[in-house]
Amino acid sequence: TQLLEQSPQFLSIQEGENLTVYCNSSSVFSSLQWYRQEPGEGPVLLVTVVTGGEVKKLKRLTFQFGDARKDSSLHITAAQPGDTGLYLCAGRWGLNNDMRFGAGTRLTVKP
Amino acid sequence: GAGVSQSPSNKVTEKGKDVELRCDPISGHTALYWYRQSLGQGLEFLIYFQGNSAPDKSGLPSDRFSAERTGGSVSTLTIQRTQQEDSAVYLCASSSDRTYGYTFGSGTRLTVV
């Protein structure tokens, strides 16, 4: 059972376009993380958010945590082919020690 | 080592055989996790080790799956009597603290034929 829902599942855009992907849960997260995974590799951590309403920026990537801590978004400005990959959100609830991952958004940026 | 090391990187086995997958975490990381990723899917939690505490085995899909972590370092995931539905990439991650992000290995791609 997926506790996290990510959308869209697939996204194909042209270089230079902007995009937003989403991560939602019916329960309040204690913390949430975004990862990016390339073929043949493990996921790589991009950001951790813990405070409702928090916004973090990483170059062209902007991460937002919802005020109620049940949702998050990742916005990429002026996407580049190097942004291609599987974007995964992962969350913890309450005092759970392990994280649960969403199914991911598979992004393709065409040159 | 500098990162999480998993071996083998690829494993092809016959249905019904047992397999062992190894994970060598980052030195000093007390938490170690195993996940499974099927083709085109997200990560499915399998098992979690934290220090000397009893592991959280709640994600193991059947009693054919087991894992050990010796000396608080290297971990081995064992799958007995493999089935075709066990085919997936098995990812290991370690963390210094539950509040930090995970560092993943590159995974073991298991194919059961």
Side-chain angles (χ1 to χ4, degrees):
Chain A
T1 301
Q2 286 285 5
L3 299 178
L4 295 181
E5 290 192 355
Q6 290 191 245
S7 61
Q9 187 176 359
F10 298 96
L11 186 58
S12 180
I13 62 171
Q14 293 295 133
E15 181 176 4
E17 293 182 354
N18 302 331
L19 66 113
T20 303
V21 299
Y22 301 91
C23 175
N24 295 283
S25 173
S26 58
S27 302
V28 175
F29 294 110
S30 56
S31 67
L32 184 142
Q33 297 175 340
W34 284 92
Y35 290 78
R36 177 168 164 265
Q37 184 179 23
E38 296 190 49
E41 299 294 328
V44 174
L45 178 66
L46 296 174
V47 76
T48 300
V49 288
V50 295
T51 304
E54 185 174 4
V55 177
K56 286 191 174 180
K57 293 191 176 184
L58 184 66
K59 297 183 180 179
R60 293 177 294 99
L61 278 59
T62 300
F63 303 87
Q64 188 159 5
F65 201 17
D67 290 342
R69 299 191 356 246
K70 290 184 177 182
D71 59 273
S72 180
S73 63
L74 159 58
H75 182 80
I76 301 179
T77 303
Q80 299 176 0
D83 296 327
T84 294
L86 179 66
Y87 288 82
L88 296 158
C89 70
R92 285 193 178 93
W93 293 265
L95 299 178
N96 289 342
N97 288 316
D98 56 70
M99 283 195 296
R100 297 291 190 261
F101 283 77
T105 292
R106 191 166 298 279
L107 172 66
T108 302
V109 182
K110 301 175 183 178
Chain B
V4 177
S5 178
Q6 290 189 245
S7 61
S9 56
N10 283 285
K11 176 71 176 180
V12 180
T13 190
E14 291 181 352
K15 178 181 174 181
K17 295 288 181 68
D18 298 351
V19 294
E20 286 189 350
L21 313 180
R22 177 187 168 103
C23 173
D24 199 344
I26 291 175
S27 178
H29 279 192
T30 57
L32 186 147
Y33 312 81
W34 284 97
Y35 287 84
R36 178 168 71 174
Q37 186 173 33
S38 300
L39 186 63
Q41 301 297 312
L43 276 65
E44 175 189 4
F45 167 74
L46 296 177
I47 189 168
Y48 158 63
F49 296 90
Q50 173 64 58
N52 295 321
S53 302
D56 176 355
K57 303 179 181 181
S58 61
L60 294 178
S62 78
D63 59 8
R64 296 186 296 104
F65 288 72
S66 63
E68 292 184 337
R69 189 179 184 192
T70 54
S73 181
V74 172
S75 177
T76 301
L77 176 69
T78 301
I79 308 173
Q80 296 178 311
R81 305 181 302 282
T82 52
Q83 304 294 314
Q84 287 185 329
E85 60 263 29
D86 299 334
S87 296
V89 175
Y90 289 81
L91 289 160
C92 173
S94 69
S95 174
S96 59
D97 184 278
R98 66 176 295 273
T99 61
Y100 290 101
Y102 298 172
T103 300
F104 280 88
S106 296
T108 293
R109 180 174 296 280
L110 175 67
T111 304
V112 182
V113 297

